[in-house]
Amino acid sequence: MSATMIKEFRLPDLGEGLTESEIVAWKVAVGDTVTLNQIIAEVETAKAVVELPSPFAGVVAALHEQPGTVVEVGKPIVSFEVEGDDGGPDGGSGGGSADAPAKREPNLVGYGAVLENSGRPARRARSFAAATAPVPATVTAAAPALAPVAERVEAAPVVPPAAPVSVPAVREAGRAETLPGPESEERPRSTPPVRKLAKDLGVDLAQVTGTGEFGLITRDDVRDFVGGGDLPVAPRDLAGLPVQAPAAAQGERETRSPIKGVRKFTAAAMVSSAFTAPHVTEFLTIDVTPTMELLAKLKASRAFAGYKLTPLTLVSKAVLIALKNHPTLNTRWDEASQHIVQYNYVNLGIAAATPRGLTVPNIKDADRKSLLELSTALTELTDTARAGKTAPADLSGGTISITNIGVFGIDAGTPILNPGEAAILALGAVRKMPWEYQDAVALRQVMTLSLSFDHRLVDGEQGSRFLQDLGAMLSDPGMALAMV
């Protein structure tokens, strides 16, 4: 005889050694019928936003946490009502011995848990009272291994609702959220940045008419409501990305926001790096006119048609070539085992600034790629980072990094090492300026390179020679032939 049972899904360990995650948004609501591996929620770890697939096929019985809540690994976040066979010999709801431990089936990373039965649950409507009823004590835990999928870029942090709500129901409308109060009431549909703007301006969203899709309240709707169509939009940095710092409400002298997510992880990593690895930074200013001329020729070449080439592309290739003669810059200090780890491959990290904070995705085995392949990999890496879809696997395992501060108009800096790496190179802005050229002064294109390295692993001579070789190739790209 077939019957229904409650299955509880606990926040899983995402395999990164993290102990907690934040619920960013629910993709389902109480009473929804879901299929196996259907995306049910977005959860932010310290590195990225992860999409959680459903481990069961059934009906959502309860959502135990609301968006904006930080949840410890192993705590229940959602319960499902699924079909089961209660006609077993023991008469139990699970069809097995009550004393037998719950069976944990292996599953492919990223594909959720194995479906425990092949039956199709009946679609049903559930009242809010039933949805919020306590979960029976006979709950079965299921915590499948899940693969992080994407890092989502937001303009402002998620703002929890002003009043506690026991069960949030989030319906998809461009990440709009609907929270049930009484059965006939819904929270105004909007996105987290819009709710933050409304809070800062003292606007009650319940009084605002949404003009977006499905009645979604937009930023313009909030501005128009307060008669502030000319209110300034969220500030943006030189790269065109929204600034993460929240705006202060009128009359407030300071604004506080929680330290969490990517910002918290980055801060801890940078402090650890700065106070563990003895940093040394060296600078070299060079004439890169020949490199810029080569770049123009390659862009006009039929062989590179359709490829995105930038100064970063050529600098990255030069770094990979120079590392062949200076492998100490591609190492790691292993304090636990008291070893120096020499990498025989190069996972090239490229620092990327996002509203969530600094991320450093890396190109795996970059040293094995041709210039065309490297160009493609760099384009995909930057596009993915800007779209907020960098997989956590691409954020770990780097061996050396490059940060392009020149895009912000900065000439030089002292970059902090990415933890576990021996060196990081900062590229300054390319500027036209008077320079000595062929025993005369000419207007040339000049760039400053800033190289920080771990002095435990890299001696001053080794760092200087690496920087010298790199400068030689960028001053005369033909020198690369002598170093291959």
Side-chain angles (χ1 to χ4, degrees):
M1 177 179 176
S2 179
T4 59
M5 65 177 68
I6 295 295
K7 292 286 188 179
E8 191 176 73
F9 180 36
R10 299 174 182 270
L11 181 66
D13 180 355
L14 299 174
E16 301 177 20
L18 304 175
T19 60
E20 62 184 24
S21 297
E22 177 187 344
I23 303 295
V24 175
W26 287 106
K27 300 297 184 181
V28 294
V30 172
D32 285 356
T33 299
V34 299
T35 58
L36 181 67
N37 295 327
Q38 176 181 334
I39 300 301
I40 59 173
E42 290 179 348
V43 178
E44 183 182 11
T45 70
K47 294 184 178 181
V49 171
V50 178
E51 292 182 337
L52 294 183
S54 172
F56 305 108
V59 176
V60 178
L63 303 177
H64 303 301
E65 301 292 347
Q66 62 184 7
T69 303
V70 177
V71 183
E72 294 181 1
V73 170
K75 286 194 173 183
I77 57 174
V78 57
S79 294
F80 299 90
E81 187 171 320
V82 301
E83 285 192 349
D85 186 0
D86 65 352
D90 61 344
S93 62
S97 172
D99 297 329
K103 182 179 179 181
R104 295 187 62 185
E105 296 286 352
N107 61 281
L108 296 177
V109 174
Y111 291 89
V114 175
L115 185 60
E116 297 188 8
N117 63 77
S118 59
R120 182 178 181 83
R123 183 179 299 272
R124 69 197 65 193
R126 297 177 59 86
S127 67
F128 178 69
T132 55
V135 178
T138 57
V139 164
T140 301
L146 299 168
V149 178
E151 176 181 332
R152 194 87 37 140
V153 175
E154 291 186 5
V158 174
V159 179
V165 180
S166 59
V167 182
V170 183
R171 301 190 186 277
E172 190 68 11
R175 294 192 66 198
E177 298 181 11
T178 304
L179 298 178
E183 292 187 35
S184 61
E185 296 182 3
E186 285 189 344
R187 185 181 181 184
R189 306 176 72 87
S190 63
T191 58
V194 173
R195 291 198 301 277
K196 180 64 172 64
L197 175 64
K199 178 181 178 183
D200 292 341
L201 297 178
V203 174
D204 180 3
L205 288 180
Q207 306 299 318
V208 180
T209 300
T211 60
E213 186 178 10
F214 304 115
L216 183 71
I217 298 174
T218 66
R219 296 179 67 88
D220 288 339
D221 295 334
V222 175
R223 293 194 189 98
D224 292 341
F225 180 82
V226 296
D230 296 329
L231 288 176
V233 297
R236 294 177 177 267
D237 59 24
L238 294 178
L241 296 173
V243 176
Q244 192 174 16
Q250 292 182 354
E252 291 186 2
R253 292 176 61 85
E254 63 181 32
T255 301
R256 293 174 177 263
S257 57
I259 301 172
K260 59 183 179 180
V262 176
R263 178 64 62 186
K264 181 178 181 180
F265 175 84
T266 302
M270 292 298 97
V271 170
S272 175
S273 175
F275 291 98
T276 300
H279 284 56
V280 172
T281 304
E282 295 185 342
F283 305 91
L284 178 63
T285 303
I286 53 174
D287 177 2
V288 293
T289 304
T291 291
M292 301 305 291
E293 292 172 348
L294 173 61
L295 185 63
K297 291 179 181 178
L298 293 176
K299 288 182 177 180
S301 170
R302 179 178 300 178
F304 285 85
Y307 288 86
K308 183 179 180 180
L309 296 175
T310 66
L312 177 61
T313 310
L314 299 186
V315 173
S316 297
K317 189 62 177 178
V319 166
L320 296 170
I321 293 174
L323 282 176
K324 295 181 183 296
N325 297 326
H326 306 282
T328 56
L329 280 85
N330 195 45
T331 57
R332 175 172 63 87
W333 183 278
D334 190 337
E335 183 68 29
S337 66
Q338 288 295 293
H339 285 110
I340 292 176
V341 180
Q342 174 67 61
Y343 297 114
N344 298 320
Y345 58 89
V346 182
N347 289 347
L348 183 62
I350 306 296
T354 73
R356 285 187 176 274
L358 177 69
T359 61
V360 190
N362 60 79
I363 301 171
K364 307 300 186 196
D365 296 316
D367 55 315
R368 300 181 183 179
K369 297 184 182 296
S370 66
L371 185 59
L372 282 173
E373 293 171 333
L374 187 61
S375 171
T376 300
L378 282 169
T379 300
E380 292 176 348
L381 179 147
T382 54
D383 289 347
T384 301
R386 289 170 182 169
K389 297 182 180 180
T390 303
D394 294 331
L395 295 170
S396 60
T399 64
I400 188 171
S401 296
I402 298 176
T403 177
N404 187 6
I405 59 178
V407 297
F408 302 107
I410 305 302
D411 296 321
T414 54
I416 296 179
L417 296 169
N418 204 30
E421 299 178 11
I424 180 172
L425 178 73
L427 309 184
V430 177
R431 300 187 184 279
K432 288 185 178 181
M433 57 189 304
W435 197 259
E436 187 277 327
Y437 177 68
Q438 296 181 350
D439 296 326
V441 176
L443 194 62
R444 306 288 287 177
Q445 298 186 74
V446 177
M447 170 194 284
T448 297
L449 304 175
S450 308
L451 177 70
S452 290
F453 53 86
D454 185 341
H455 217 336
R456 297 174 301 177
L457 296 164
V458 183
D459 294 335
E461 178 187 3
Q462 297 166 333
S464 299
R465 291 191 181 279
F466 171 83
L467 196 55
Q468 183 182 46
D469 284 355
L470 185 59
M473 284 186 282
L474 296 177
S475 296
D476 181 5
M479 290 297 296
L481 296 175
M483 300 182 189
V484 175

